[in-house]
Amino acid sequence: MPLQSKSRSNKRSSSSSSYASTITMVVFVGLCFLGVWILTSNSVIPPQATTRTATTDSESNSNSDSEEVQSKPESNLNTEEVQSVNKPETITTTATTTSFEDNPGDLPYEAIKNDDLPKPDQQTTTKKHDDNGGSNSGTVESFPGGDSSGIPKESKESKKSWSTQAAQSENEKERRKDESDGPDEMYGYTWQLCNVTAGADYIPCLDNEKAVKKLRSTRHFEHRERHCPEEGPMCLVPVPEGYKRPIEWPTSRDKIWYHNVPHTLLAEVKGHQNWVKVTGEFLTFPGGGTQFIHGALHYIDFLQQAVKDIAWGKRTRVVLDVGCGVASFGGFLFDRDVLAMSFAPKDEHEAQVQFALERGIPAISAVMGSQRLPFPSRVFDLVHCARCRVPWHAEGGTLLLELNRVLRPGGYFVWSATPVYQKLEEDVEIWKAMSSLTASMCWELVTIKKDKLNSIGAAIYRKPTSNECYDRRKHKQPSMCKDDDDANAAWYVPLQTCMHRVPVDVAERGTQWPENWPRRLQTPPYWLNDSQMGIYGKPSSQDFAADYEHWKRVVNNSYMSRLGISWSNVRNVMDMRAVYGGFAAAMKDVKIWVMNVVNVDSPDTLPIIYERGLFGIYHDWCESFSTYPRTYDLLHADHLFSKLTKRCKLGPVLAEVDRIVRPGGKLIVRDESRAIGEVENLLKSLHWEVRLTFSKNQEGILSAQKGDWRPKTYAMSS
C-alpha cells in the first residue's frame, strides 16, 4: 500500500508539473504576442503615419541630427510638427495645437485664407528650458491671425498701391539676382574667422578697405559712408578676449564691461568732459557729453524749460541726435518717454556708437557726407546737435538742408554749440553764417538760452508749417527742389542744396502734427487713405488696426511666455522686416527698444512707423547693416528670408545675423517652411541652438539662440 500510494502520488505530481508547464508556455507566448502588439500599435506610432525630423520632406534629408518627431495619422490633413534639435535640455512632444499665438480676430482674409484652424480642444504641450535654466511647460499656440500658418500674407493687389524705397531712390544699387541652390548647398559650411584689419569691430559696408582706396575724394566724408562688398562676407567676426554677457538695463546705462568694448582712446580724450572713464573692469559714463558734463537729465529739462512746446514724451516723441558721441542724451530721454535715433560715424573717436549700443541705447553708424540719411522726409519731431562737429553753414548749407528734409513741419532744431555762446572770432563768424542760412530757410529762431550749471547755451529753431515765407523771400537761395524730386527717396541718393515745399493738402502727410504720445501709437495716421488698399488687403486704416491687434495677440500669447525667453535679458531688439511697426507697438510696455527695418524692395511703410511714435531705417538685407558686431539681443524676422532668396543667397545674410547678435542672443523667424528649413540648417552650421521649430500648411516658426562658439582658423585674406 505505501508503494501504491507513492506511485499515485508521483503520477499526480507529474500531471501537475506538466499542467504548470503548459500554463507557463501559454502565458509566455501570450506575453510575446502582447509585446509585439504594443510595439506595433498606433499608441506609439500610427501605422499610417510618416516619421519626419524637419518641417518639410526636403528638410528631413538634411537634418539627420535632429530628433525624430512622431506624426499624426494621414487622415488628419493638418499635419503639424513641433521639432527640436538633439539637445538634452530641449524636449518637444507632438499633438494637434490650438494655436501658436492667437485667434483670427479681425485679420484680413488674405492673412488666414489658407489656414485650417484646429479644434479648440486640440493642444500641443512643449517643454523647454528658459533662459534662467528652468523648465517651461504650457500650451503652445498656433500662428498669427489665429491661424495655424500665422504669417499674414501681403495682398498682391495692395502692391500696386504702394511704392518701394528702391523704386523711389534713383541711385539704388543693382541687386544680385542669383538664387540660392537650396538647403543642401548651405548646410555643413565650414566657417572661418574674418581676416580683416577691423578684427572684432568689423562692419563689412564701412570697413571695405578696397573700395575706400578707390575713392576719388574724401572731401565729403565719402570714406565714412557705406561701400558694400559685391558679395556678402561668408566669415564670422571674432569676439574680444575676455568678453562677458552684457550688463542688464538700466545699470548698463551707467557702466559696461571694459572687455566687451576694449577701447580707451575716447576715455583719454574725453574723460575730462565726463563722456566715459575706465574704472577697474568697467567703462563708466558719469556725465553724458561735452555740453552736459553734469548729467544729461538736467540738460534735457533745461531744453524743456527753454521751450515749453517741446513737451517731451507728449508732443515730442521721436528725436534725431546728430553726432551723438556715446549717446547719453538719447539714453536719458527714455526717462522722458522719448525715443532718440542717435548716429555718429565710425571714425577716430573709437567705437562711440558701439559704446552706445553696449549701454542699451539706440544708435547707428552713419555720417552726414554726400548722401541722404536713410530716413523718410518729415518724420522727426526734433533734431538735436550738441557740439556735433558738422559744418552746417558750409557749401550753401547742404547738410542743414538734409536735416530740414527729415524734420517735421513745426518741428524743432536744437543747436547746442560754441558759436551760440562763445565770442571767439571763429565762433562769431560761424554764428553769422548760421543766422543768415537759417533765416533764408525760413527757420524761426525761437530762443537762445544759457545753462549756467554746464556753462553752455542752446539756440532753438522751428521749421515753418506753410510756404508763405518761402514765397516771400527776395533771394531764392537755397532754392526750392524741383516738383519731381522725391523727398522720401533716401537709399544711396546724393544730397541736393534745395528745400522741399511744405505739404498743403490736408490729406497729405505733414500738414498736421501727430496725436500726442501715447495716443499716436494706436491711432491710424490721418493721411492714410482708405481708398488705398493696405498691405494685407483691407482699406489702409483697417489694415493698420488689424495688424496692431494681431501683433498684440502674438506677443502676449506666445513671445512673452511660450518661447522660453527671459525678457529681462533683452534690451536691443530689431524687427528685420517691419510693416506697420505692429510688433514694436505690441512691445510698448516691455523695457526694450525696437529698430524697425523697412526693406528697400518692400512697400514704403516707414513713414507710418514714425507717425505712430516709433522709429526705424531703410535697409537692404542683401547688404550688411550699419552697426557694430554683438550689438543686438534679439532679431525678429517675419517672412523675410523667403523674399530674400529671390535676390541673394541666405548664407551671407545668416553670417550677418550672427555678426549682429550678441552671444546668448535670440532669433525668432516666421516664414515659409522651406525658408525655415534653410535657416535652421545654416544656424546649426553656425553652432546656434535651435530651440524650437514648428510647421503647418507650409508656414513655420523658429526660435534659436546664439552660443559662444567661434571658429579656430582665419579665412584667407581677399
Side-chain angles (χ1 to χ4, degrees):
M1 289 294 295
L3 183 60
Q4 185 178 1
S5 174
K6 184 177 180 179
S7 177
R8 282 198 294 267
S9 176
N10 287 343
K11 286 180 181 180
R12 284 195 302 268
S13 176
S14 175
S15 173
S16 174
S17 175
S18 174
Y19 180 73
S21 298
T22 301
I23 291 176
T24 301
M25 288 298 294
V26 169
V27 171
F28 177 80
V29 171
L31 288 173
C32 288
F33 276 114
L34 179 62
V36 171
W37 178 81
I38 289 174
L39 290 172
T40 58
S41 72
N42 61 8
S43 65
V44 178
I45 301 177
Q48 63 269 43
T50 302
T51 300
R52 301 168 65 188
T53 62
T55 55
T56 64
D57 290 333
S58 62
E59 294 160 13
S60 66
N61 295 331
S62 59
N63 287 345
S64 58
D65 57 340
S66 299
E67 291 184 5
E68 291 192 346
V69 180
Q70 301 159 8
S71 301
K72 299 190 296 275
E74 289 179 358
S75 58
N76 184 344
L77 298 179
N78 296 325
T79 302
E80 304 169 6
E81 296 81 36
V82 177
Q83 173 196 339
S84 70
V85 293
N86 191 15
K87 298 271 186 180
E89 65 271 27
T90 304
I91 306 169
T92 61
T93 62
T94 302
T96 47
T97 119
T98 264
S99 68
F100 196 80
E101 337 157 307
D102 52 71
N103 300 313
D106 297 324
L107 270 184
Y109 172 69
E110 278 289 334
I112 60 175
K113 66 180 182 180
N114 295 322
D115 301 317
D116 272 333
L117 294 179
K119 296 178 181 179
D121 58 346
Q122 294 177 320
Q123 297 181 340
T124 292
T125 300
T126 301
K127 182 180 180 182
K128 54 187 175 296
H129 282 249
D130 59 25
D131 289 345
N132 297 320
S135 63
N136 198 342
S137 298
T139 301
V140 179
E141 324 139 66
S142 92
F143 285 106
D147 38 337
S148 22
S149 81
I151 296 130
K153 296 181 175 60
E154 292 182 14
S155 163
K156 293 181 180 179
E157 289 299 317
S158 73
K159 294 180 181 178
K160 301 175 183 178
S161 303
W162 295 80
S163 61
T164 66
Q165 182 56 213
Q168 291 171 160
S169 301
E170 295 175 1
N171 290 3
E172 147 74 325
K173 273 187 172 181
E174 287 186 7
R175 299 280 12 113
R176 288 169 284 141
K177 300 298 182 182
D178 48 315
E179 294 190 8
S180 168
D181 293 328
D184 289 339
E185 179 191 352
M186 296 296 180
Y187 188 67
Y189 263 118
T190 301
W191 296 94
Q192 293 181 300
L193 295 173
C194 298
N195 192 355
V196 291
T197 306
D201 296 335
Y202 181 44
I203 305 175
C205 289
L206 298 180
D207 292 313
N208 188 349
E209 295 177 344
K210 284 187 176 181
V212 170
K213 288 178 181 178
K214 295 178 181 179
L215 292 174
R216 295 180 179 179
S217 171
T218 59
R219 179 185 174 188
H220 297 108
F221 298 96
E222 290 89 346
H223 58 303
R224 305 296 186 196
E225 294 179 329
R226 290 173 59 84
H227 302 282
C228 299
E230 288 298 321
E231 295 287 338
M234 282 292 290
C235 59
L236 305 184
V237 177
V239 175
E241 186 177 350
Y243 180 88
K244 298 180 181 181
R245 299 295 165 88
I247 295 170
E248 293 181 8
W249 180 267
T251 306
S252 61
R253 185 167 58 181
D254 299 322
K255 65 178 182 180
I256 61 175
W257 296 114
Y258 164 75
H259 287 292
N260 288 15
V261 191
H263 298 291
T264 59
L265 179 61
L266 203 59
E268 295 165 7
V269 174
K270 297 291 186 179
H272 67 287
Q273 296 175 349
N274 277 354
W275 276 37
V276 57
K277 293 184 177 182
V278 180
T279 309
E281 59 180 346
F282 301 105
L283 291 166
T284 58
F285 304 87
T290 306
Q291 300 300 90
F292 33 92
I293 59 175
H294 295 291
L297 276 179
H298 167 80
Y299 174 77
I300 289 167
D301 291 340
F302 154 72
L303 297 178
Q304 169 76 77
Q305 293 162 9
V307 179
K308 301 295 184 184
D309 195 42
I310 285 177
W312 297 123
K314 294 182 176 65
R315 184 183 187 273
T316 299
R317 164 64 181 174
V318 187
V319 169
L320 180 66
D321 188 17
V322 183
C324 63
V326 294
S328 290
F329 179 67
F332 283 91
L333 277 173
F334 281 110
D335 290 3
R336 300 295 181 261
D337 222 359
V338 175
L339 278 178
M341 174 74 77
S342 302
F343 76 91
K346 188 178 185 185
D347 60 10
E348 65 275 5
H349 282 165
E350 276 183 335
Q352 51 189 330
V353 166
Q354 192 176 17
F355 283 132
L357 288 159
E358 185 71 17
R359 297 174 71 189
I361 303 170
I364 60 168
S365 290
V367 65
M368 299 206 71
S370 67
Q371 298 174 349
R372 286 179 176 176
L373 297 170
F375 311 119
S377 67
R378 309 187 300 272
V379 292
F380 289 101
D381 304 331
L382 181 145
V383 177
H384 174 257
C385 160
R387 293 281 289 270
C388 55
R389 301 174 62 198
V390 178
W392 300 119
H393 60 289
E395 299 189 5
T398 302
L399 299 182
L400 195 63
L401 290 169
E402 172 61 1
L403 294 191
N404 186 74
R405 182 184 73 86
V406 300
L407 183 62
R408 289 187 189 279
Y412 293 102
F413 172 61
V414 177
W415 187 38
S416 174
T418 54
V420 176
Y421 56 91
Q422 289 187 0
K423 300 301 179 182
L424 298 177
E425 183 178 353
E426 181 183 15
D427 290 324
V428 171
E429 290 301 317
I430 292 175
W431 175 254
K432 287 181 179 179
M434 276 291 284
S435 297
S436 175
L437 174 61
T438 52
S440 67
M441 292 170 58
C442 296
W443 281 13
E444 174 193 0
L445 177 57
V446 179
T447 189
I448 300 175
K449 287 290 183 181
K450 300 290 180 64
D451 177 12
K452 294 181 180 180
L453 177 64
N454 288 305
S455 301
I456 58 98
I460 303 178
Y461 300 86
R462 186 171 184 261
K463 180 178 175 178
T465 56
S466 74
N467 295 304
E468 293 179 11
C469 176
Y470 296 150
D471 296 334
R472 290 197 313 263
R473 292 183 305 162
K474 293 180 180 179
H475 305 288
K476 303 298 183 181
Q477 293 297 328
S479 63
M480 304 308 295
C481 298
K482 295 180 180 179
D483 291 341
D484 61 355
D485 185 90
D486 189 347
N488 290 314
W491 189 243
Y492 293 121
V493 175
L495 293 176
Q496 294 187 76
T497 309
C498 66
M499 296 183 295
H500 296 89
R501 295 183 70 83
V502 174
V504 293
D505 186 338
V506 293
E508 190 175 355
R509 180 171 64 85
T511 56
Q512 299 178 33
W513 197 264
E515 295 271 1
N516 278 356
W517 178 263
R519 287 196 304 274
R520 65 194 279 186
L521 181 73
Q522 57 191 17
T523 305
Y526 69 89
W527 44 266
L528 270 187
N529 187 351
D530 276 351
S531 65
Q532 179 183 19
M533 185 183 295
I535 304 303
Y536 302 122
K538 279 189 172 184
S540 294
S541 63
Q542 296 178 38
D543 221 43
F544 173 96
D547 177 79
Y548 182 40
E549 292 302 317
H550 154 69
W551 282 111
K552 284 196 295 184
R553 289 190 298 266
V554 171
V555 168
N556 293 333
N557 296 341
S558 289
Y559 290 1
M560 299 310 298
S561 59
R562 303 291 164 78
L563 297 184
I565 295 173
S566 175
W567 288 94
S568 64
N569 298 329
V570 176
R571 173 64 182 172
N572 304 356
V573 177
M574 182 187 293
D575 191 355
M576 299 177 73
R577 183 180 169 269
V579 179
Y580 297 119
F583 166 70
M587 303 293 286
K588 169 184 172 290
D589 295 326
V590 185
K591 297 299 182 183
I592 65 168
W593 56 268
V594 180
M595 180 68 73
N596 293 283
V597 178
V598 171
N599 294 266
V600 295
D601 64 330
S602 297
D604 186 5
T605 54
L606 192 52
I608 297 174
I609 290 171
Y610 276 92
E611 196 79 3
R612 69 193 304 184
L614 306 172
F615 63 10
I617 190 172
Y618 293 120
H619 185 59
D620 183 351
W621 283 111
C622 291
E623 300 179 358
S624 171
F625 193 79
S626 294
T627 191
Y628 279 84
R630 305 170 304 281
T631 48
Y632 281 83
D633 300 301
L634 186 145
L635 300 190
H636 180 258
D638 179 18
H639 243 175
L640 169 70
F641 297 110
S642 57
K643 296 181 181 297
L644 284 178
T645 55
K646 300 172 183 176
R647 301 192 300 117
C648 53
K649 295 182 178 181
L650 290 190
V653 180
L654 267 295
E656 176 66 1
V657 167
D658 184 89
R659 187 186 73 85
I660 293 173
V661 175
R662 292 166 167 168
K666 317 295 191 303
L667 172 67
I668 301 174
V669 180
R670 320 175 69 84
D671 216 316
E672 298 172 5
S673 296
R674 174 190 58 80
I676 290 285
E678 189 170 348
V679 169
E680 180 183 6
N681 292 335
L682 278 161
L683 290 175
K684 287 181 178 178
S685 74
L686 290 164
H687 294 242
W688 281 49
E689 178 189 349
V690 179
R691 309 187 78 173
L692 172 73
T693 60
F694 178 93
S695 176
K696 180 178 180 179
N697 293 343
Q698 302 305 309
E699 300 286 351
I701 184 171
L702 176 148
S703 175
Q705 181 171 356
K706 179 179 176 180
D708 297 320
W709 177 82
R710 293 290 87 179
K712 301 296 184 184
T713 60
Y714 281 85
M716 293 183 62
S717 181
S718 58

